[in-house]
Amino acid sequence: KAGVTQTPRYLIKTRGQQVTLSCSPISGHRSVSWYQQTPGQGLQFLFEYFSETQRNKGNFPGRFSGRQFSNSRSEMNVSTLELGDSALYLCASSLSGSQSEQFFGPGTRLTVL
Amino acid sequence: QKEVEQNSGPLSVPEGAIASLNCTYSDRGSQSFFWYRQYSGKSPELIMSIYSNGDKEDGRFTAQLNKASQYVSLLIRDSQPSDSATYLCAPNTGGFKTIFGAGTRLFVKA
């Protein structure tokens, strides 16, 4: 069974630009959660989607948004990039939501210059 | 008070010893508890889940949960150098949100 895939793996952007990251969950999994990981803050919850509905959102500004498609693939978007958005963005796939076991993708490393 | 507290380490143990990793959490509504292992430069990998008070064993790993004390731990028996990684404690608050601790760095000396 294929694992969680994320594209792209690496991105370099400049301040003010926007970026879209993609996540394909494990086949049959209906939930995708997104996390931001930085050395100083650790793993921070961004949002969780289940069957195309956002069920929860972390404490991030509105520049961070996401969506989930009918095939469970998910995208997250960050607009008006800031230097502090440089981080590893991880998505995690689960059968029924983050209250069950989550499986992480390899992540997208975003660098904002 | 942080939502999830872990000793950042590094915790250093000799090969073959038992490594004990501890975690406390603040949300009494938490029902699901997970331990993840993260190697440097890699994404987190699920190693244990526990939902009920008591112990749960899986190979060399034992997770222990005490909801009354809001405490969860992970024991690694016969520690190997390949166990050297950061271990993340992750309670789920029940509100479709899992909070990750900052992690404990474990170093197993050969």
Side-chain angles (χ1 to χ4, degrees), chain B residues 29 33-34 41 46 52 62 66 90:
Chain B
F33 303 84
F34 306 96
L46 177 69
S52 305
T62 298
N66 184 325

Side-chain angles (χ1 to χ4, degrees), chain B residues 23-42:
Chain B
C23 171
T24 58
Y25 59 94
S26 62
D27 189 335
R28 287 191 171 276
S30 298
Q31 297 295 321
S32 312
F33 303 84
F34 306 96
W35 282 98
Y36 288 83
R37 176 176 63 198
Q38 186 171 26
Y39 292 112
S40 181
K42 301 293 186 182

